[in-house]
């Protein structure tokens, strides 16, 4: 996950989790990256690096999704698609497309904010993946975007606009500047990133789909074209499927690098760093090893930095979750209680959807690591009504969770449940078991292929013989069958913490989570 600066090489992926559709810029000696966040809140993650290899999460640019009423419930594949990050006129700018509403932007004087509220630059269905360009040579501003066929009936083309230099509106109705249907073999052209280099307008844009696609480059002397194209990165004989969609950045010493994603099923879109140079075959960019992705490479010519990666562990000081956590919809007051100690205190929210975690807005999530790991958390189910429950979930189109539930007699039991992709009700993955004191340490071991093995420790060693499953490491007992995590439509699987209760009247209780930990196991030989 992080890289030792003493090593002369780095290894891909540099961000081994679902940082989908990355875009990157340099401001001074600092590099910044943002990524798609879809329907999760807060959105538009902001990552920082000094060496392009070690990254930390420093905040989010979008605190709530708008319109708020539409994102009061989970919309896992909607919201923020493929943002573009730029720095212009002393401000940071992020443009993104909401496939149902249009092109938005936010901006801020510093990467940590304060960020403006979302501004709708152009309304319309199917307008996705926008990228602005302020042309320092002419003072003109432009914007290019792609199309989502699911909303507009149009895809495989890029539309260009003149833009007001203030970045607030487009000045024309737009013109198709690249039509993928006219390029033999090209399909699903999307994700454009717009640059000015060596007297050319350049559009870096992927095609071919998220799992099997390639990276294209287009150039023209005039913004509105005509453009010529070239494939500049593709899988070739490597094991990196679909290496595409990302951004170009130049270091202070003049080195060029390209960050892109690789779709890895339940792990989502992990991020690779490729060397890049200009001038190959008529001035085109050459990415990776002559157009093939590299598994490892000499580190960028940048000052060594200590190993770093986006945070995962959390003690929840003051009851506040760390930056790595996102809700599955716009949060409401009262879901989490702030207090003076450590621990996340979640309200058991009453809901008619208690049978299906995928429908709940009050699931607190973070990304599933892309490498084998062990996830653990302590859970205490506090005062509450019968039916109140809480636990640790692996969440996707199918899901499984393990946790605690209060029964009709007031006792608390360890429960483990799952729901298949096509099911609208969850089922028991293992028989309920006693949980004395209403406490448990919960664990998920996740290995290659996102296979998840759930276990628990209730501290009740006397009950080992009753369950017949034996106690494992540190008193942990296995629960249920192996569950294979699944992605959402465009999103990798998520780790989730949740507290809920069936419909009814009054306060249903609270659950307290403490000592959330993710231990990364030794990297696989094929990584």
């Amino acid at each position: 996950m992080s890289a030792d600066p003493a090593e002369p090489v780095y290894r891909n992926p540099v961000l081994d989790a679902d940082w989908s559709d990355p875009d990157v810029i340099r401001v001074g000696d600092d590099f910044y990256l943002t990524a798609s966040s879809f329907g999760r809140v807060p959105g538009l993650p902001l990552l920082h690096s000094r060496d392009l290899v070690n990254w930390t999460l420093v905040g989010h640019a979008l605190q709530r999704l708008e319109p708020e009423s539409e994102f009061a419930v989970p919309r896992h594949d909607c919201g923020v698609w493929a943002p573009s990050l730029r720095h212009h006129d002393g401000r940071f700018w992020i443009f993104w497309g909401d496939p149902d509403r249009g092109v938005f932007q936010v901006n801020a004087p510093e990467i940590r904010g304060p960020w403006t509220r979302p501004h709708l630059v152009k309304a319309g269905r199917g307008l996705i993946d926008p990228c602005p360009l302020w042309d320092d040579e002419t003072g003109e501003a432009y914007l290019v975007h792609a199309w989502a066929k699911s909303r507009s009936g149009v895809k495989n083309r890029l539309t260009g606009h003149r833009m007001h230099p203030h970045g607030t509106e487009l000045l024309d109705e737009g013109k198709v500047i690249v039509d993928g249907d006219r390029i033999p073999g090209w399909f699903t052209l999307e994700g454009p990133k717009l640059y000015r280099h060596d007297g050319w307008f350049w559009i870096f844009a992927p095609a071919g789909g998220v799992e099997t696609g390639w990276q294209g480059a287009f150039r023209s002397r005039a913004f509105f074209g005509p453009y010529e194209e070239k494939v500049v990165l593709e899988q070739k004989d490597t094991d990196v499927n679909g290496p595409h969609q990302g951004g170009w950045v130049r270091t202070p010493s003049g080195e060029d690098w390209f960050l892109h994603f690789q779709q890895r099923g339940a792990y989502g879109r992990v991020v690779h760093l490729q060397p890049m140079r200009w001038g190959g075959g008529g001035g085109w960019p050459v990415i990776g090893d002559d157009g093939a992705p590299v598994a490892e490479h000499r580190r960028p010519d940048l000052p060594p930095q200590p190993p770093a990666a986006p945070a995962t562990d959390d003690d929840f000081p003051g009851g506040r979750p760390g930056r790595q956590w996102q809700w599955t919809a716009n949060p409401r007051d009262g879901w989490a209680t702030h207090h003076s100690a450590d621990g996340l205190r979640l309200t058991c929210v009453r809901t008619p959807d208690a049978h299906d975690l995928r429908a709940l807005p009050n699931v607190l999530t973070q990304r599933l690591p892309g490498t084998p790991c062990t996830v653990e958390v302590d859970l205490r189910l506090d005062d509450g009504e019968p039916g109140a429950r809480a636990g640790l979930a692996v969440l996707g189109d199918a899901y499984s969770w393990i946790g605690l539930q209060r029964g009709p007699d007031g006792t608390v039991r360890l429960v483990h449940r799952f729901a298949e992709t096509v099911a609208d009700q969850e089922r028991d993955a293992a028989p309920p078991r006693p949980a004395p004191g209403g406490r448990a340490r919960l664990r998920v071991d996740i290995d290659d292929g996102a296979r998840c093995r759930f276990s628990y420790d209730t501290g009740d060693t006397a009950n080992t013989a009753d369950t017949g499953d034996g106690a494992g490491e540190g008193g942990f007992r296995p629960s249920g069958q192996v569950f294979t995590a699944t992605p959402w439509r465009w999103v990798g699987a998520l780790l989730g913490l949740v507290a809920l209760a069936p419909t009814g009247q009054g306060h249903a209780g609270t659950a307290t989570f403490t000592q959330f930990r993710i231990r990364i196991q030794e990297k696989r030989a094929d990584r």
Side-chain angles (χ1 to χ4, degrees):
M1 298 290 285
S2 59
D4 184 349
E7 295 187 19
V9 300
Y10 70 90
R11 294 171 180 83
N12 277 316
V14 292
L15 284 167
D16 202 358
D18 187 23
W19 302 96
S20 179
D21 312 320
D23 194 23
V24 62
I25 60 170
R26 177 177 66 86
V27 180
D29 294 327
D30 298 286
F31 299 92
Y32 300 103
L33 181 148
T34 192
S36 295
S37 50
F38 298 97
R40 301 195 302 277
V41 181
L44 290 173
L46 303 167
L47 287 83
H48 170 254
S49 177
R50 285 287 183 93
D51 63 1
L52 290 171
V53 175
N54 293 283
W55 293 87
T56 57
L57 178 63
V58 297
H60 291 82
L62 188 62
Q63 296 307 308
R64 299 184 72 83
L65 287 163
E66 297 183 5
E68 292 205 13
S69 59
E70 291 188 12
F71 291 95
V73 295
R75 303 182 67 202
H76 299 291
D77 58 354
C78 300
V80 176
W81 284 23
S84 291
L85 174 63
R86 293 293 181 264
H87 190 261
H88 167 71
D89 197 24
R91 298 185 71 85
F92 291 88
W93 301 77
I94 302 179
F95 285 68
W96 75 94
D98 178 322
D100 299 302
R101 299 199 65 224
V103 173
F104 287 87
Q105 61 97 333
V106 291
N107 59 86
E110 305 290 342
I111 196 68
R112 291 173 175 81
W115 289 86
T116 60
R117 283 189 61 175
H119 173 77
L120 184 61
V121 178
K122 181 176 175 59
R125 287 179 59 80
L127 309 180
I128 59 169
D129 308 353
C131 183
L133 172 69
W134 287 270
D135 187 350
D136 293 334
E137 295 181 20
T138 66
E140 298 288 329
Y142 304 96
L143 183 135
V144 62
H145 68 81
W147 294 88
K149 186 175 182 179
S150 60
R151 272 68 166 192
S152 65
V154 176
K155 74 168 188 175
N156 206 32
R157 64 191 63 173
L158 306 179
T159 295
H161 298 262
R162 292 179 61 244
M163 183 177 72
H164 195 292
H166 291 166
T168 54
E169 61 181 317
L170 304 182
L171 302 179
D172 54 37
E173 291 304 310
K175 174 186 176 182
V176 175
I177 57 177
V178 180
D179 186 347
D181 290 343
R182 295 179 178 272
I183 308 173
W186 285 58
F187 60 95
T188 316
L189 177 64
E190 57 187 354
K193 295 294 180 279
L194 183 58
Y195 306 99
R196 200 83 155 94
H197 173 69
D198 196 27
W200 296 86
F201 287 91
W202 290 89
I203 301 174
F204 285 29
V210 295
E211 294 184 354
T212 59
W214 58 89
Q215 182 66 38
F218 301 81
R219 70 181 182 184
S220 174
R221 292 294 185 183
F223 172 71
F224 287 104
Y227 283 84
E228 52 185 324
E229 81 282 342
K230 183 180 178 65
V231 175
V232 293
L233 183 69
E234 56 187 326
Q235 181 172 355
K236 295 190 176 182
D237 60 355
T238 74
D239 62 357
V240 180
N241 60 292
H244 72 314
Q245 189 155 340
W248 160 48
V249 69
R250 175 167 285 177
T251 69
S253 66
E255 287 185 345
D256 295 301
W257 297 86
F258 184 73
L259 284 143
H260 66 89
F261 76 68
Q262 174 198 9
Q263 170 67 30
R264 291 190 56 230
Y267 300 114
R269 304 175 189 180
V270 303
V271 178
H272 292 238
L273 176 66
Q274 301 295 336
M276 175 176 149
R277 61 183 174 83
W278 290 93
W284 292 89
V286 178
I287 300 177
D289 180 8
D290 195 24
V294 300
E296 61 180 39
H297 193 269
R298 173 190 55 81
R299 299 171 66 90
D301 181 20
L302 293 163
Q305 301 296 319
T312 56
D313 295 353
D314 207 346
D315 289 317
F316 309 104
R320 293 171 172 82
R323 295 188 183 101
Q324 65 268 36
W325 297 96
Q326 296 170 292
W327 299 99
T328 48
N330 282 328
R332 303 172 199 167
D333 292 340
W335 285 358
T337 302
H338 296 167
H339 52 86
S340 59
D342 287 353
L344 177 69
R345 190 175 300 162
L346 295 183
T347 299
C348 295
V349 176
R350 292 192 181 276
T351 173
D353 296 313
H355 57 280
D356 191 347
L357 300 190
R358 293 164 296 197
L360 300 183
N362 59 304
V363 185
L364 192 62
T365 68
Q366 66 167 284
R367 293 162 179 82
L368 187 73
T371 194
C373 65
T374 297
V375 183
E376 290 186 11
V377 68
D378 280 334
L379 170 62
R380 184 183 74 240
L381 191 61
D382 299 321
D383 59 301
E385 296 288 321
R389 68 201 74 163
L392 168 66
V394 178
L395 194 62
D397 273 342
Y399 72 85
S400 186
W401 72 279
I402 190 168
L404 300 173
Q405 178 169 330
R406 190 172 298 277
D409 61 356
T411 62
V412 177
R413 300 181 73 81
L414 191 289
V415 295
H416 181 191
R417 300 198 173 107
F418 76 100
E420 299 164 279
T421 299
V422 296
D424 58 5
Q425 296 271 348
E426 62 186 26
R427 296 188 289 151
D428 284 334
R433 299 173 170 93
R439 297 171 178 265
R441 180 82 176 160
L442 310 173
R443 173 189 284 181
V444 187
D445 291 292
I446 307 171
D447 63 13
D448 288 311
R451 293 184 297 270
C452 304
R453 293 172 172 83
F454 288 80
S455 57
Y456 67 96
D457 180 6
T458 58
D460 181 22
T461 56
N463 193 49
T464 302
D466 296 337
T467 64
D469 53 21
E473 175 192 347
F476 278 92
R477 303 169 193 161
S479 181
Q481 301 300 313
V482 172
F483 169 77
T484 300
T486 62
W488 305 98
R489 185 179 182 190
W490 305 122
V491 183
L494 300 167
L495 300 171
L497 304 177
V498 64
L500 66 150
T503 55
Q505 300 297 318
H507 179 64
T510 59
T512 301
F513 296 86
T514 54
Q515 294 185 336
F516 183 91
R517 298 289 184 269
I518 296 181
R519 299 198 308 273
I520 300 299
Q521 300 171 16
E522 184 176 347
K523 277 189 176 290
R524 306 183 295 273
D526 64 347
R527 298 301 302 155

